[in-house]
Amino acid sequence: QMCIRDRVSTQSTGNPHPPGMPEPRPRHLGPMIQLPPSNNASDQPSDVIALEVATSDEDKDHTELHVCFPAKPKPVTEPVDKPKATVDTKHEAASGETADEPPPENPAADEHKPGRPKLDSIVALEDIAEQSEGGSRCFLKCFLEHSWMWWGVLVMCNGIWIGVMVTITIGKRDDMAGVHWFWIAFGIKTVILTLVQWVGGWGVQNRDWKVGYTRKCVHLGFFLMPELLDVVLPVPEDDAWLWAAWNVLLISLMLLMITRPIRNKFRFIQTCYAAIDRPKDNGLTMMYTFMQVPLTVVTIAGFSLMFKYTVDRQAWVITPIIAVTFGDGLAEPFAIFWSTNQICGGTHKYQTRGLCAGDRRFTRSFEGSACVVFFTAVAVLVMYTELTGIELAVNLAVMPITMAVVEAYAPHSMDNPFLLAWGSVVMMGAHGISQANGGN
């Protein structure tokens, strides 16, 4: 930098050294240059980068003013190479931000905003695989190396499933009255579930909605909407297993729709995916979804058949479903609301682990666990007409607390099948105690 030093009247300027500006190092470059008096600091040249005002004890009528100007920058002869950013291809159509930029202050809200991509999900999963050990590491490596093969198997299985279901349904068309209501219900389910997921994703991308809320709205829709419409609409009651199989197929097709090879092609599907892709699950979202959903369906179907053919109480399966749908489903939104509004000082958290998650740790809250306790008790009371006095008392005494404990220790994003299985086991245990005491 070039500095000019001069002495001007204290009546013409008395501005102190500007805060935050570097201390100049003045040196006399020749004859003193007289600066014109000015009472307005804005009259100073725009390229002044520092000035210093000092009054000596010997001469209090004058002030020594140092003004520094920036030196001309040296030309850059060689280009500077910057590392290329890794951008998640599922957001590439809407993003232009590079990975070397500082992360947003609120990554949970900005995760799926256009222009704010997160770390590519494949890269994130590779990092997790490197952190894992033993069987988890082997599984993740196999999954990554043969991902296209697994996706092809998924597409093929769904295609075969569609063919079989259409063939069976058309073959039964003449035997069932009102079968057209099934197709109407199937269309309504498809539209509503897709709309719920798209609206949730749009809110995450454009309105800073929390994924913890939108994900649970999708969760409620997938668990309740198909069964609710089957009850409300005049769907044929014959061959109920067939309609249940169609509901499972619908969910399977919607999961296939949001797989990476398909969602990368369509902005609409990217928005749907944003509704369920929690930042903390980056790289694990689809794997957890495809592990949890089939296990949940198998658990519900298995215990439903057990209740029907062993104790003739198929309706009992509704109790753990309500507990999971509302208790576990609303636990995260409830905890977010509690924390955001700092009720009683905010949430009180504890950590848990996830399957194949490497060194990642996930947080849950005691407030969310309390939500599980409450809705499990509600679920038991909803079924009180189907229970004996002893069964009702045992279920109320045991199920709410133990369901919260299971939810606390279950692997992250894999708690649904564990909760459904444990709730069903408790109901069977209560039935056994009731029978041992005379069935009262």
Side-chain angles (χ1 to χ4, degrees), residues 126-144:
E126 290 173 347
D127 292 342
I128 295 171
E130 293 299 327
Q131 299 168 4
S132 303
E133 298 178 353
S136 296
R137 181 186 180 92
C138 181
F139 171 77
L140 291 177
K141 290 287 187 181
C142 177
F143 180 80
L144 288 166

Side-chain angles (χ1 to χ4, degrees), residues 271-350:
T271 300
C272 292
Y273 181 67
I276 65 169
D277 189 21
R278 290 183 293 198
K280 62 184 177 182
D281 290 345
N282 187 20
L284 298 169
T285 300
M286 292 306 301
M287 187 181 71
Y288 282 163
T289 301
F290 276 93
M291 291 172 66
Q292 178 170 245
V293 172
L295 283 174
T296 299
V297 171
V298 169
T299 303
I300 292 175
F303 280 101
S304 177
L305 293 175
M306 186 186 71
F307 288 146
K308 179 178 181 179
Y309 292 108
T310 59
V311 295
D312 194 24
R313 292 290 188 274
Q314 188 175 8
W316 280 4
V317 76
I318 298 298
T319 298
I321 289 177
I322 293 176
V324 170
T325 302
F326 292 99
D328 179 61
L330 297 179
E332 185 176 0
F334 179 75
I336 292 174
F337 175 81
W338 192 281
S339 176
T340 302
N341 293 276
Q342 288 295 301
I343 301 173
C344 299
T347 53
H348 302 79
K349 299 178 180 180
Y350 56 92

Side-chain angles (χ1 to χ4, degrees), residues 317-396:
V317 76
I318 298 298
T319 298
I321 289 177
I322 293 176
V324 170
T325 302
F326 292 99
D328 179 61
L330 297 179
E332 185 176 0
F334 179 75
I336 292 174
F337 175 81
W338 192 281
S339 176
T340 302
N341 293 276
Q342 288 295 301
I343 301 173
C344 299
T347 53
H348 302 79
K349 299 178 180 180
Y350 56 92
Q351 288 190 333
T352 186
R353 302 175 66 98
L355 294 178
C356 304
D359 296 333
R360 288 193 186 183
R361 295 293 183 273
F362 305 93
T363 59
R364 288 176 177 159
S365 68
F366 290 102
E367 288 76 13
S369 298
C371 187
V372 175
V373 172
F374 174 77
F375 280 104
T376 301
V378 171
V380 173
L381 293 174
V382 167
M383 296 299 298
Y384 79 96
T385 57
E386 300 288 333
L387 301 170
T388 65
I390 295 178
E391 290 170 346
L392 178 64
V394 172
N395 281 311
L396 281 176

Side-chain angles (χ1 to χ4, degrees), residues 91 94-95 97 102-119 201 203-211 274 277-279:
H91 303 297
S95 66
E97 187 181 67
E105 295 182 1
N106 187 4
D110 295 341
E111 193 68 37
H112 288 278
K113 276 187 175 181
R116 289 195 182 276
K118 62 183 179 182
L119 183 65
V204 170
Q205 291 179 330
N206 300 281
R207 290 293 183 269
D208 292 341
W209 292 359
K210 297 182 182 296
V211 183
D277 189 21
R278 290 183 293 198

Side-chain angles (χ1 to χ4, degrees), residues 72-345:
K72 293 183 179 180
K74 296 182 179 180
V76 180
T77 57
E78 296 182 358
V80 179
D81 294 332
K82 290 185 178 181
K84 293 184 178 179
T86 301
V87 179
D88 193 350
T89 55
K90 67 179 174 244
H91 303 297
E92 62 189 357
S95 66
E97 187 181 67
T98 56
D100 55 358
E101 294 182 5
E105 295 182 1
N106 187 4
D110 295 341
E111 193 68 37
H112 288 278
K113 276 187 175 181
R116 289 195 182 276
K118 62 183 179 182
L119 183 65
D120 181 272
S121 57
I122 297 296
V123 176
L125 192 57
E126 290 173 347
D127 292 342
I128 295 171
E130 293 299 327
Q131 299 168 4
S132 303
E133 298 178 353
S136 296
R137 181 186 180 92
C138 181
F139 171 77
L140 291 177
K141 290 287 187 181
C142 177
F143 180 80
L144 288 166
E145 292 175 4
H146 305 287
S147 57
W148 278 100
M149 182 190 72
W150 297 121
W151 185 78
V153 170
L154 179 64
V155 173
M156 182 179 65
C157 290
N158 276 275
I160 295 173
W161 195 355
I162 291 173
V164 171
M165 295 298 295
V166 170
T167 301
I168 294 175
T169 305
I170 293 177
K172 288 181 171 292
R173 181 176 56 187
D174 298 333
D175 301 332
M176 295 181 294
V179 69
H180 63 281
W181 275 108
F182 160 72
W183 296 110
I184 294 174
F186 190 81
I188 294 174
K189 295 171 191 175
T190 304
V191 171
I192 291 179
L193 292 180
T194 303
L195 186 62
V196 167
Q197 198 158 344
W198 182 85
V199 169
W202 180 87
V204 170
Q205 291 179 330
N206 300 281
R207 290 293 183 269
D208 292 341
W209 292 359
K210 297 182 182 296
V211 183
Y213 290 154
T214 59
R215 178 184 174 90
K216 295 307 180 180
C217 289
V218 176
H219 174 103
L220 292 174
F222 273 44
F223 270 90
L224 289 182
M225 188 58 62
E227 300 296 333
L228 182 63
L229 286 177
D230 286 347
V231 172
V232 174
L233 297 177
V235 177
E237 295 183 2
D238 297 336
D239 297 309
W241 66 269
L242 185 61
W243 316 133
W246 272 105
N247 289 337
V248 176
L249 176 59
L250 172 61
I251 295 175
S252 179
L253 291 174
M254 296 198 71
L255 293 178
L256 176 63
M257 177 186 72
I258 60 175
T259 54
R260 185 186 181 94
I262 296 178
R263 73 171 182 265
N264 282 351
K265 303 293 183 183
F266 304 98
R267 180 68 177 275
F268 176 84
I269 299 178
Q270 291 177 17
T271 300
C272 292
Y273 181 67
I276 65 169
D277 189 21
R278 290 183 293 198
K280 62 184 177 182
D281 290 345
N282 187 20
L284 298 169
T285 300
M286 292 306 301
M287 187 181 71
Y288 282 163
T289 301
F290 276 93
M291 291 172 66
Q292 178 170 245
V293 172
L295 283 174
T296 299
V297 171
V298 169
T299 303
I300 292 175
F303 280 101
S304 177
L305 293 175
M306 186 186 71
F307 288 146
K308 179 178 181 179
Y309 292 108
T310 59
V311 295
D312 194 24
R313 292 290 188 274
Q314 188 175 8
W316 280 4
V317 76
I318 298 298
T319 298
I321 289 177
I322 293 176
V324 170
T325 302
F326 292 99
D328 179 61
L330 297 179
E332 185 176 0
F334 179 75
I336 292 174
F337 175 81
W338 192 281
S339 176
T340 302
N341 293 276
Q342 288 295 301
I343 301 173
C344 299

